[in-house]
Amino acid sequence: MLETPFTYRDNIYHVEDAPLDDIAKKAGTPCYVYSANAILSRYKAYDRAFGNLPHRVCYAVKANHNLAILSMLARAGAGFDIVSGGELYKVLRAGAGPANVVFSGVGKTAAEVEYALEQGIHSFNCESEAELALIDALAGRLGKKARIALRVNPDVDAETHPYISTGLKEHKFGIDIQEVEEIYQRARWHSNLILDSVSCHIGSQLLNPEPLVAALDRMLSLIGRLRAKGIAIEYLDLGGGLGVPYRPTENAPSIADYITRIRNKVEGRNVTLMVEPGRSLVAEAGILLSRVLYRKKNGNKEFIIVDAAMNDLIRPALYRAHHEILPVKRDPSRGTVTADVVGPVCESGDFLAKDREIANVFPGDLVAICTAGAYGAVLSSNYNARTRAAEVMAAGNGFRIVRRRESYEDLVRLEKV
Ligand SMILES: *Cc1c(COP(=O)(O)O)cnc(C)c1O
């Protein structure tokens, strides 16, 4: 188990060696705070666990696309899994080379495919025959060859939240594993495609690795069948999906155990194994730091109103996701309170916690909304014309602002009357 970068020292919550009240003073609130070493150590846990099996760890950029995170991972040797032209642009701006970039997603546009071909990315994870035809045509026009993996739907139940489960027939993602062999056969007619890869991604926040292992077994048999038909598969991309504990009572599989399990099945099969972790690299490395504005009571119900809202962190409203909320200054003598923790946005769905027993915090106190490094800042919006939060990267006892808080001017920059 990798250690958390967030700990109490003398009853002050710290990120690595930096006290979070200092960060709030410099960066303001609400702000996201990330630990550089937590992200790096998780990336290295993946990389190390593969041992000398040929592999690539492609960070799923959609979990958090802050340039500071991308450039740090690029320097550490990571590849990247992107789902849009914008993500490719950010990855390249962060200094990463295109050679370790894979392009996933069910709706790539012609402009995005062209951009990726021109940049020379490693491969496309394709979701339909029509997409194959488009990539083949655009590659031909540009005089390039495009490496293709079909994204297979292995039809295993990821046993996760319905919005983040993707590996069943009923989902929009992937191509049915029953149909995929014929599509590879037909795709041989496309002369600008290199057909040497298969991919899948069955869902997110998997706390049980068994469905991932089951998907791997199905993918390995598929590779055997494709090879028997003369389609020489060299790359197997198993996608992301490893979960993290959002509650103290939850247990997630360790990165090392999970990778060791799948490595053992792939050893000797003559494939380069790729994974696309997003959440498991960054979720536990980040918090959302917020200040209490007010307390109020409606009847018997307590509300703690904080300066962060659903536009900053939508996971509780969208998935009813649980995020622990901890006081930055711990004072056990104050006891606890059971309350809804809510933001200033004018929606009843604007809550960060419901009926939660948390430390008895008061206006002016700082709170850390935990495990917010993944699918937090990237899903933020300007709803209610709220300026997006600052983002801070901490390492050791230092930290810097890696995305400044938006200004009111930023809110109108792209508009005209
Ligand atoms: C979202 C996504 C990932 C990352 O999933 P995590 O659960 O964050 O690890 C990887 N691959 C694809 C294709 C995705 O859509």
Side-chain angles (χ1 to χ4, degrees), residues 53-242:
L53 185 82
H55 68 276
R56 296 187 186 195
V57 180
C58 295
Y59 168 57
V61 173
K62 77 173 193 277
N64 190 322
H65 51 57
N66 186 288
L67 282 183
I69 293 176
L70 301 180
S71 77
M72 189 170 71
L73 286 170
R75 275 180 277 127
F80 295 93
D81 170 53
I82 58 162
V83 292
S84 72
E87 285 190 353
L88 176 55
Y89 178 80
K90 289 201 80 171
V91 163
L92 298 173
R93 278 293 294 267
N100 280 330
V101 173
V102 300
F103 196 161
S104 300
V106 69
K108 305 174 191 76
T109 66
E112 288 176 318
V113 170
E114 246 172 49
Y115 176 42
L117 285 168
E118 279 162 0
Q119 296 299 321
I121 65 164
H122 174 261
S123 60
F124 294 86
N125 290 339
C126 297
E127 303 235 4
S128 66
E129 278 194 280
E131 184 189 338
L132 289 182
L134 174 72
I135 296 174
D136 178 63
L138 293 173
R141 200 186 304 159
L142 294 168
K144 309 234 181 202
K145 300 273 181 248
R147 171 173 288 112
I148 292 300
L150 287 178
R151 172 164 171 187
V152 178
N153 190 333
D155 200 29
V156 297
D157 189 348
E159 299 164 17
T160 184
H161 190 285
Y163 287 10
I164 51 179
S165 169
T166 56
L168 285 173
K169 279 185 188 170
E170 63 194 82
H171 299 128
K172 73 175 175 181
F173 298 101
I175 297 172
D176 195 307
I177 194 158
Q178 313 292 343
E179 291 163 31
V180 79
E181 284 168 64
E182 275 181 32
I183 298 179
Y184 271 100
Q185 300 263 40
R186 289 200 287 274
R188 287 167 140 175
W189 293 99
H190 293 308
S191 56
N192 306 301
L193 302 183
I194 303 167
L195 300 172
D196 65 356
S197 312
V198 292
S199 74
C200 70
H201 169 74
I202 61 168
S204 200
Q205 183 53 11
L206 275 73
L207 292 174
N208 174 2
E210 293 312 320
L212 288 161
V213 176
L216 173 64
D217 286 335
R218 292 187 182 190
M219 296 299 283
L220 287 171
S221 335
L222 172 67
I223 290 174
R225 296 197 297 275
L226 289 171
R227 283 177 170 170
K229 292 188 167 127
I231 297 162
I233 300 297
E234 290 180 27
Y235 295 93
L236 164 56
D237 183 344
L238 202 55
L242 196 66

Side-chain angles (χ1 to χ4, degrees), residues 159-416:
E159 299 164 17
T160 184
H161 190 285
Y163 287 10
I164 51 179
S165 169
T166 56
L168 285 173
K169 279 185 188 170
E170 63 194 82
H171 299 128
K172 73 175 175 181
F173 298 101
I175 297 172
D176 195 307
I177 194 158
Q178 313 292 343
E179 291 163 31
V180 79
E181 284 168 64
E182 275 181 32
I183 298 179
Y184 271 100
Q185 300 263 40
R186 289 200 287 274
R188 287 167 140 175
W189 293 99
H190 293 308
S191 56
N192 306 301
L193 302 183
I194 303 167
L195 300 172
D196 65 356
S197 312
V198 292
S199 74
C200 70
H201 169 74
I202 61 168
S204 200
Q205 183 53 11
L206 275 73
L207 292 174
N208 174 2
E210 293 312 320
L212 288 161
V213 176
L216 173 64
D217 286 335
R218 292 187 182 190
M219 296 299 283
L220 287 171
S221 335
L222 172 67
I223 290 174
R225 296 197 297 275
L226 289 171
R227 283 177 170 170
K229 292 188 167 127
I231 297 162
I233 300 297
E234 290 180 27
Y235 295 93
L236 164 56
D237 183 344
L238 202 55
L242 196 66
V244 301
Y246 282 95
R247 300 167 193 262
T249 51
E250 262 171 354
N251 272 314
S254 87
I255 292 168
D257 290 350
Y258 165 56
I259 295 299
T260 306
R261 261 193 88 184
I262 62 173
R263 184 191 72 198
N264 290 337
K265 285 181 176 276
V266 173
E267 235 142 33
R269 299 289 193 120
N270 230 346
V271 291
T272 296
L273 184 57
M274 303 167 70
V275 288
E276 303 168 346
R279 189 189 313 269
S280 55
L281 288 183
V282 293
E284 294 163 284
I287 59 145
L288 175 58
L289 190 57
S290 179
R291 200 176 285 281
V292 178
L293 297 174
Y294 303 102
R295 296 258 309 238
K296 77 182 243 182
K297 243 181 162 169
N298 282 348
N300 281 329
K301 203 164 171 74
E302 282 269 5
F303 291 91
I304 296 172
I305 302 158
V306 299
D307 65 2
M310 66 186 291
N311 75 297
D312 301 300
L313 179 66
I314 203 172
R315 299 189 71 257
L318 187 59
Y319 312 115
R320 285 243 161 192
H322 177 100
H323 290 267
E324 285 291 301
I325 300 178
L326 298 175
V328 168
K329 271 202 176 78
R330 191 165 60 177
D331 179 357
S333 71
R334 280 203 199 164
T336 64
V337 57
T338 297
D340 284 10
V341 180
V342 302
V345 162
C346 298
E347 295 272 351
S348 293
D350 178 28
F351 58 87
L352 298 163
K354 272 208 182 285
D355 287 320
R356 180 80 60 84
E357 184 178 2
I358 66 164
N360 195 12
V361 288
F362 289 96
D365 289 346
L366 291 164
V367 292
I369 300 151
C370 301
T371 331
Y375 306 108
V378 285
L379 277 161
S380 66
S381 77
N382 291 121
Y383 189 41
N384 281 202
R386 284 168 55 84
T387 55
R388 255 177 278 230
E391 292 173 70
V392 171
M393 181 69 74
N397 58 11
F399 60 87
R400 57 200 173 84
I401 295 174
V402 291
R403 190 179 202 271
R404 68 162 170 81
R405 182 177 312 284
E406 285 176 349
S407 65
Y408 288 161
E409 185 55 34
D410 289 328
L411 293 176
V412 296
R413 216 167 4 122
L414 306 176
E415 299 174 23
K416 60 183 169 197

Side-chain angles (χ1 to χ4, degrees), residues 23-42:
I23 293 180
K25 226 175 277 163
K26 300 241 168 59
T29 54
C31 76
Y32 278 95
V33 182
Y34 310 121
S35 154
N37 288 304
I39 297 170
L40 273 181
S41 63
R42 281 160 180 75

